[in-house]
Amino acid sequence: MSVIEVRDLRRVFRTTVGVIRRKTKEIVAVDGISFDIEEGGLFGLLGPNGAGKTTTVKMLTTLLIPTSGTARILDHDVVKEAAAIRPHIGFIFGGERGLYWRLSAIDNLRYFANLYMVDPGVTRQRIPYLLELVGLADRGDEKVEGYSRGMKQRLHIARALLHDPQVLFLDEPTMGLDPVGARELRGVIRDLLAERKTILLTTHYMFEADELCQRVAVINRGKIVALDTPDGLKQHVQDLSVVELEVIGITGDRVEQLRRLPFVDTVSVEPYEQKQKLSIHSNSGSTSVPQILNILEGLRVDKVTSREPTLEDAYVRLVGGEV
Amino acid sequence: MASKRLRSYLRTIGQVFVLQFKQLAIDGFIIFIVLVQPLLIAIMGLWMMRERQGNYAIFIVVGSGMTGLWSSLLYITGSNINVERWLGTLEMLVGTPTPLAVTVIGKTLSNVVMSLSSMILGYVLAALIFRFPLTLAHPLLFVVSLICSVAAFATFGLVIAPFFAINRQLQGWVNALEFPMYILAGFMFPIALLPGWTTPISYALAPYWAARALHATSSGNVPLSDVFLSWGMMLLFSVIYLLLSGWLFRVMVHKARVDATLSLQ
């Protein structure tokens, strides 16, 4: 049985622009997406900023009403039966907000435990357990205002697990965590999967999706552009190889020249320390390097490597080079 | 199941009450509208009445306390939901199985109880500085009236809270809404001094019946049947406001889910 069923889900936001001649502008955040998540499954939703990931999570967590389409959680409709869904789901949104900063972590958790109608006896045992789980056991009685971003994020995770929900929505849960904290959190997610929790995870980190998710949907401009297992998605770029170069001072013109090369599929540029990291997807492997270097003539090129495609490369290809 | 739910709601109300009280007690603006503003109104009233004969002082003390009660209720209730929105906790609250109205009940009760301190301060001020004889005509009935007033004000706060949540611009109108209630509910002078057409409006406001009961039991100038009538009206309005607010909260939360206004965009 599918724990989460999404059919043709669509959400349009209307905003007004202008002061005197006000015009209504429509933004399609989610455009007719469909997917299912089975019990105990971990489903990843990948996409660039503004792709519609958070809007999807908000509709599934009953906080936003879809413009059209349906979504069912544990066989309950997210619009008509929101009250039946809420006791069984937990959610976290990336970022520091959503906590009472003037209260301690323990007071925050005690408050939300009440709101989730957790029995006081259970709460007394569960709060120390969760604080231990997220590594805040020795800071639980401190006010949240003194917490780092990562600590607040970990407190959010403890809050989402207070009522031991069957279904979890994790919207970029490792955002703001240091590498060690992020690795520990991935360990927690694996433990939750072992407990047969059903999880929907959105993330920017491809290796995270590759490591954790059983199935991944790539979402771009509100539409699902691919839905497969991480290995299945990598098949999309099986014909490609990736050449990576570290350069200094590359201009838009040169990137355009690279894109126009006949064997090049996509080119993405990312800032990397004081340099730029160029990732060029092509179907000609390392044999393309001389032609690439020709275009980059006069620029300082520090490092050139060629490698096999990863899930990230599949993602870049699917969303058209936007990272 | 229903009793478990009720116990959980009561626990939440109690917890929110304490947390809100702690936060209000250290908020400078709240201290101003609960303590300083009614004090200024009381000083003005007592100064104007100092040459008069009769038991006016207790009327002014009770009335100025009620102005503090109304001002704080209006301001804090109006800002409660917006503060949650700014903190990013409104989504968290709506996403739990406990209705949003339950947490707002806890907050509103806390606001009302906090605001009662205005009345105590006014009482002490009048007694100490102006040396007015401040005796309550019916102390026990006054306490019962006070309890009914807490219920009436708190439930009235529950009715106005969803409007502030639906329309964020309404927050800017708080000051404009302050004085009409002072006048229409007869906090500082009897509504008999107002034009006849305003009387039905006063009758539909629970704070009017609260003011009537508190003034009557403190000054003792009216028959007890009048006090009982005020209690009855307060309880009746409290029930009506409670039912109305339940519906308004459902409408407000639904509209916020449609308009995507549970969080800041």
mmCIF file with all atom_site columns, all heavy atoms in Angstrom, chain B residues 9-22:
data_model
loop_
_atom_site.group_PDB
_atom_site.id
_atom_site.type_symbol
_atom_site.label_atom_id
_atom_site.label_alt_id
_atom_site.label_comp_id
_atom_site.label_asym_id
_atom_site.label_entity_id
_atom_site.label_seq_id
_atom_site.pdbx_PDB_ins_code
_atom_site.Cartn_x
_atom_site.Cartn_y
_atom_site.Cartn_z
_atom_site.occupancy
_atom_site.B_iso_or_equiv
_atom_site.pdbx_formal_charge
_atom_site.auth_seq_id
_atom_site.auth_comp_id
_atom_site.auth_asym_id
_atom_site.auth_atom_id
_atom_site.pdbx_PDB_model_num
ATOM 1   N N   . TYR B 1 9  ? -5.591 19.315 25.838 1.00 0.00 ? 9  TYR B N   1
ATOM 2   C CA  . TYR B 1 9  ? -5.902 20.729 25.558 1.00 0.00 ? 9  TYR B CA  1
ATOM 3   C C   . TYR B 1 9  ? -5.676 21.572 26.819 1.00 0.00 ? 9  TYR B C   1
ATOM 4   O O   . TYR B 1 9  ? -5.097 22.653 26.759 1.00 0.00 ? 9  TYR B O   1
ATOM 5   C CB  . TYR B 1 9  ? -7.350 20.899 25.101 1.00 0.00 ? 9  TYR B CB  1
ATOM 6   C CG  . TYR B 1 9  ? -7.656 20.396 23.702 1.00 0.00 ? 9  TYR B CG  1
ATOM 7   C CD1 . TYR B 1 9  ? -8.962 20.390 23.208 1.00 0.00 ? 9  TYR B CD1 1
ATOM 8   C CD2 . TYR B 1 9  ? -6.647 19.921 22.859 1.00 0.00 ? 9  TYR B CD2 1
ATOM 9   C CE1 . TYR B 1 9  ? -9.254 19.929 21.932 1.00 0.00 ? 9  TYR B CE1 1
ATOM 10  C CE2 . TYR B 1 9  ? -6.936 19.444 21.588 1.00 0.00 ? 9  TYR B CE2 1
ATOM 11  C CZ  . TYR B 1 9  ? -8.246 19.447 21.139 1.00 0.00 ? 9  TYR B CZ  1
ATOM 12  O OH  . TYR B 1 9  ? -8.533 18.987 19.875 1.00 0.00 ? 9  TYR B OH  1
ATOM 13  N N   . LEU B 1 10 ? -6.152 21.048 27.955 1.00 0.00 ? 10 LEU B N   1
ATOM 14  C CA  . LEU B 1 10 ? -6.022 21.806 29.212 1.00 0.00 ? 10 LEU B CA  1
ATOM 15  C C   . LEU B 1 10 ? -4.556 21.971 29.596 1.00 0.00 ? 10 LEU B C   1
ATOM 16  O O   . LEU B 1 10 ? -4.140 23.027 30.065 1.00 0.00 ? 10 LEU B O   1
ATOM 17  C CB  . LEU B 1 10 ? -6.801 21.114 30.342 1.00 0.00 ? 10 LEU B CB  1
ATOM 18  C CG  . LEU B 1 10 ? -8.329 21.174 30.192 1.00 0.00 ? 10 LEU B CG  1
ATOM 19  C CD1 . LEU B 1 10 ? -9.015 20.345 31.275 1.00 0.00 ? 10 LEU B CD1 1
ATOM 20  C CD2 . LEU B 1 10 ? -8.835 22.614 30.242 1.00 0.00 ? 10 LEU B CD2 1
ATOM 21  N N   . ARG B 1 11 ? -3.768 20.891 29.382 1.00 0.00 ? 11 ARG B N   1
ATOM 22  C CA  . ARG B 1 11 ? -2.334 20.972 29.658 1.00 0.00 ? 11 ARG B CA  1
ATOM 23  C C   . ARG B 1 11 ? -1.688 22.044 28.788 1.00 0.00 ? 11 ARG B C   1
ATOM 24  O O   . ARG B 1 11 ? -0.884 22.846 29.245 1.00 0.00 ? 11 ARG B O   1
ATOM 25  C CB  . ARG B 1 11 ? -1.666 19.627 29.354 1.00 0.00 ? 11 ARG B CB  1
ATOM 26  C CG  . ARG B 1 11 ? -1.439 18.746 30.564 1.00 0.00 ? 11 ARG B CG  1
ATOM 27  C CD  . ARG B 1 11 ? -0.378 17.686 30.295 1.00 0.00 ? 11 ARG B CD  1
ATOM 28  N NE  . ARG B 1 11 ? -0.505 17.006 29.030 1.00 0.00 ? 11 ARG B NE  1
ATOM 29  C CZ  . ARG B 1 11 ? -1.255 15.945 28.809 1.00 0.00 ? 11 ARG B CZ  1
ATOM 30  N NH1 . ARG B 1 11 ? -1.993 15.455 29.782 1.00 0.00 ? 11 ARG B NH1 1
ATOM 31  N NH2 . ARG B 1 11 ? -1.295 15.373 27.623 1.00 0.00 ? 11 ARG B NH2 1
ATOM 32  N N   . THR B 1 12 ? -2.093 22.050 27.503 1.00 0.00 ? 12 THR B N   1
ATOM 33  C CA  . THR B 1 12 ? -1.526 23.034 26.570 1.00 0.00 ? 12 THR B CA  1
ATOM 34  C C   . THR B 1 12 ? -1.901 24.441 27.006 1.00 0.00 ? 12 THR B C   1
ATOM 35  O O   . THR B 1 12 ? -1.056 25.345 27.018 1.00 0.00 ? 12 THR B O   1
ATOM 36  C CB  . THR B 1 12 ? -2.038 22.754 25.137 1.00 0.00 ? 12 THR B CB  1
ATOM 37  O OG1 . THR B 1 12 ? -1.686 21.435 24.794 1.00 0.00 ? 12 THR B OG1 1
ATOM 38  C CG2 . THR B 1 12 ? -1.438 23.721 24.133 1.00 0.00 ? 12 THR B CG2 1
ATOM 39  N N   . ILE B 1 13 ? -3.172 24.640 27.372 1.00 0.00 ? 13 ILE B N   1
ATOM 40  C CA  . ILE B 1 13 ? -3.623 25.971 27.799 1.00 0.00 ? 13 ILE B CA  1
ATOM 41  C C   . ILE B 1 13 ? -2.802 26.424 29.006 1.00 0.00 ? 13 ILE B C   1
ATOM 42  O O   . ILE B 1 13 ? -2.317 27.555 29.062 1.00 0.00 ? 13 ILE B O   1
ATOM 43  C CB  . ILE B 1 13 ? -5.146 25.961 28.113 1.00 0.00 ? 13 ILE B CB  1
ATOM 44  C CG1 . ILE B 1 13 ? -5.946 25.806 26.814 1.00 0.00 ? 13 ILE B CG1 1
ATOM 45  C CG2 . ILE B 1 13 ? -5.570 27.240 28.852 1.00 0.00 ? 13 ILE B CG2 1
ATOM 46  C CD1 . ILE B 1 13 ? -7.431 25.568 27.010 1.00 0.00 ? 13 ILE B CD1 1
ATOM 47  N N   . GLY B 1 14 ? -2.613 25.515 29.967 1.00 0.00 ? 14 GLY B N   1
ATOM 48  C CA  . GLY B 1 14 ? -1.846 25.842 31.166 1.00 0.00 ? 14 GLY B CA  1
ATOM 49  C C   . GLY B 1 14 ? -0.403 26.202 30.829 1.00 0.00 ? 14 GLY B C   1
ATOM 50  O O   . GLY B 1 14 ? 0.149  27.185 31.326 1.00 0.00 ? 14 GLY B O   1
ATOM 51  N N   . GLN B 1 15 ? 0.185  25.416 29.941 1.00 0.00 ? 15 GLN B N   1
ATOM 52  C CA  . GLN B 1 15 ? 1.587  25.649 29.570 1.00 0.00 ? 15 GLN B CA  1
ATOM 53  C C   . GLN B 1 15 ? 1.741  26.968 28.812 1.00 0.00 ? 15 GLN B C   1
ATOM 54  O O   . GLN B 1 15 ? 2.648  27.755 29.103 1.00 0.00 ? 15 GLN B O   1
ATOM 55  C CB  . GLN B 1 15 ? 2.055  24.492 28.696 1.00 0.00 ? 15 GLN B CB  1
ATOM 56  C CG  . GLN B 1 15 ? 3.557  24.428 28.570 1.00 0.00 ? 15 GLN B CG  1
ATOM 57  C CD  . GLN B 1 15 ? 3.997  23.263 27.702 1.00 0.00 ? 15 GLN B CD  1
ATOM 58  O OE1 . GLN B 1 15 ? 3.226  22.735 26.906 1.00 0.00 ? 15 GLN B OE1 1
ATOM 59  N NE2 . GLN B 1 15 ? 5.231  22.855 27.847 1.00 0.00 ? 15 GLN B NE2 1
ATOM 60  N N   . VAL B 1 16 ? 0.823  27.210 27.863 1.00 0.00 ? 16 VAL B N   1
ATOM 61  C CA  . VAL B 1 16 ? 0.887  28.466 27.097 1.00 0.00 ? 16 VAL B CA  1
ATOM 62  C C   . VAL B 1 16 ? 0.679  29.646 28.036 1.00 0.00 ? 16 VAL B C   1
ATOM 63  O O   . VAL B 1 16 ? 1.352  30.677 27.917 1.00 0.00 ? 16 VAL B O   1
ATOM 64  C CB  . VAL B 1 16 ? -0.193 28.473 25.979 1.00 0.00 ? 16 VAL B CB  1
ATOM 65  C CG1 . VAL B 1 16 ? -0.244 29.819 25.279 1.00 0.00 ? 16 VAL B CG1 1
ATOM 66  C CG2 . VAL B 1 16 ? 0.090  27.386 24.964 1.00 0.00 ? 16 VAL B CG2 1
ATOM 67  N N   . PHE B 1 17 ? -0.245 29.495 28.995 1.00 0.00 ? 17 PHE B N   1
ATOM 68  C CA  . PHE B 1 17 ? -0.538 30.557 29.969 1.00 0.00 ? 17 PHE B CA  1
ATOM 69  C C   . PHE B 1 17 ? 0.751  30.982 30.686 1.00 0.00 ? 17 PHE B C   1
ATOM 70  O O   . PHE B 1 17 ? 1.094  32.158 30.751 1.00 0.00 ? 17 PHE B O   1
ATOM 71  C CB  . PHE B 1 17 ? -1.569 30.034 30.973 1.00 0.00 ? 17 PHE B CB  1
ATOM 72  C CG  . PHE B 1 17 ? -1.976 31.037 32.009 1.00 0.00 ? 17 PHE B CG  1
ATOM 73  C CD1 . PHE B 1 17 ? -3.083 31.844 31.818 1.00 0.00 ? 17 PHE B CD1 1
ATOM 74  C CD2 . PHE B 1 17 ? -1.251 31.183 33.191 1.00 0.00 ? 17 PHE B CD2 1
ATOM 75  C CE1 . PHE B 1 17 ? -3.453 32.781 32.763 1.00 0.00 ? 17 PHE B CE1 1
ATOM 76  C CE2 . PHE B 1 17 ? -1.606 32.114 34.141 1.00 0.00 ? 17 PHE B CE2 1
ATOM 77  C CZ  . PHE B 1 17 ? -2.719 32.913 33.926 1.00 0.00 ? 17 PHE B CZ  1
ATOM 78  N N   . VAL B 1 18 ? 1.486  29.993 31.194 1.00 0.00 ? 18 VAL B N   1
ATOM 79  C CA  . VAL B 1 18 ? 2.707  30.287 31.959 1.00 0.00 ? 18 VAL B CA  1
ATOM 80  C C   . VAL B 1 18 ? 3.782  30.905 31.057 1.00 0.00 ? 18 VAL B C   1
ATOM 81  O O   . VAL B 1 18 ? 4.392  31.921 31.399 1.00 0.00 ? 18 VAL B O   1
ATOM 82  C CB  . VAL B 1 18 ? 3.244  29.001 32.633 1.00 0.00 ? 18 VAL B CB  1
ATOM 83  C CG1 . VAL B 1 18 ? 4.587  29.244 33.291 1.00 0.00 ? 18 VAL B CG1 1
ATOM 84  C CG2 . VAL B 1 18 ? 2.236  28.491 33.663 1.00 0.00 ? 18 VAL B CG2 1
ATOM 85  N N   . LEU B 1 19 ? 3.982  30.303 29.872 1.00 0.00 ? 19 LEU B N   1
ATOM 86  C CA  . LEU B 1 19 ? 5.032  30.802 28.964 1.00 0.00 ? 19 LEU B CA  1
ATOM 87  C C   . LEU B 1 19 ? 4.728  32.234 28.518 1.00 0.00 ? 19 LEU B C   1
ATOM 88  O O   . LEU B 1 19 ? 5.602  33.091 28.478 1.00 0.00 ? 19 LEU B O   1
ATOM 89  C CB  . LEU B 1 19 ? 5.152  29.893 27.732 1.00 0.00 ? 19 LEU B CB  1
ATOM 90  C CG  . LEU B 1 19 ? 5.641  28.475 27.982 1.00 0.00 ? 19 LEU B CG  1
ATOM 91  C CD1 . LEU B 1 19 ? 5.641  27.655 26.704 1.00 0.00 ? 19 LEU B CD1 1
ATOM 92  C CD2 . LEU B 1 19 ? 7.043  28.485 28.586 1.00 0.00 ? 19 LEU B CD2 1
ATOM 93  N N   . GLN B 1 20 ? 3.443  32.478 28.198 1.00 0.00 ? 20 GLN B N   1
ATOM 94  C CA  . GLN B 1 20 ? 3.047  33.818 27.749 1.00 0.00 ? 20 GLN B CA  1
ATOM 95  C C   . GLN B 1 20 ? 3.225  34.836 28.881 1.00 0.00 ? 20 GLN B C   1
ATOM 96  O O   . GLN B 1 20 ? 3.713  35.941 28.659 1.00 0.00 ? 20 GLN B O   1
ATOM 97  C CB  . GLN B 1 20 ? 1.569  33.768 27.294 1.00 0.00 ? 20 GLN B CB  1
ATOM 98  C CG  . GLN B 1 20 ? 0.986  35.105 26.887 1.00 0.00 ? 20 GLN B CG  1
ATOM 99  C CD  . GLN B 1 20 ? 1.335  35.469 25.450 1.00 0.00 ? 20 GLN B CD  1
ATOM 100 O OE1 . GLN B 1 20 ? 2.171  34.840 24.817 1.00 0.00 ? 20 GLN B OE1 1
ATOM 101 N NE2 . GLN B 1 20 ? 0.703  36.500 24.934 1.00 0.00 ? 20 GLN B NE2 1
ATOM 102 N N   . PHE B 1 21 ? 2.854  34.437 30.084 1.00 0.00 ? 21 PHE B N   1
ATOM 103 C CA  . PHE B 1 21 ? 2.953  35.342 31.241 1.00 0.00 ? 21 PHE B CA  1
ATOM 104 C C   . PHE B 1 21 ? 4.410  35.753 31.454 1.00 0.00 ? 21 PHE B C   1
ATOM 105 O O   . PHE B 1 21 ? 4.712  36.920 31.686 1.00 0.00 ? 21 PHE B O   1
ATOM 106 C CB  . PHE B 1 21 ? 2.387  34.659 32.485 1.00 0.00 ? 21 PHE B CB  1
ATOM 107 C CG  . PHE B 1 21 ? 1.925  35.643 33.527 1.00 0.00 ? 21 PHE B CG  1
ATOM 108 C CD1 . PHE B 1 21 ? 0.639  36.154 33.499 1.00 0.00 ? 21 PHE B CD1 1
ATOM 109 C CD2 . PHE B 1 21 ? 2.791  36.081 34.528 1.00 0.00 ? 21 PHE B CD2 1
ATOM 110 C CE1 . PHE B 1 21 ? 0.208  37.074 34.440 1.00 0.00 ? 21 PHE B CE1 1
ATOM 111 C CE2 . PHE B 1 21 ? 2.379  37.004 35.474 1.00 0.00 ? 21 PHE B CE2 1
ATOM 112 C CZ  . PHE B 1 21 ? 1.080  37.498 35.430 1.00 0.00 ? 21 PHE B CZ  1
ATOM 113 N N   . LYS B 1 22 ? 5.311  34.759 31.341 1.00 0.00 ? 22 LYS B N   1
ATOM 114 C CA  . LYS B 1 22 ? 6.751  35.028 31.523 1.00 0.00 ? 22 LYS B CA  1
ATOM 115 C C   . LYS B 1 22 ? 7.234  36.031 30.476 1.00 0.00 ? 22 LYS B C   1
ATOM 116 O O   . LYS B 1 22 ? 8.010  36.936 30.773 1.00 0.00 ? 22 LYS B O   1
ATOM 117 C CB  . LYS B 1 22 ? 7.561  33.734 31.356 1.00 0.00 ? 22 LYS B CB  1
ATOM 118 C CG  . LYS B 1 22 ? 7.591  32.845 32.578 1.00 0.00 ? 22 LYS B CG  1
ATOM 119 C CD  . LYS B 1 22 ? 8.497  31.656 32.260 1.00 0.00 ? 22 LYS B CD  1
ATOM 120 C CE  . LYS B 1 22 ? 8.416  30.592 33.297 1.00 0.00 ? 22 LYS B CE  1
ATOM 121 N NZ  . LYS B 1 22 ? 9.115  29.355 32.874 1.00 0.00 ? 22 LYS B NZ  1
#
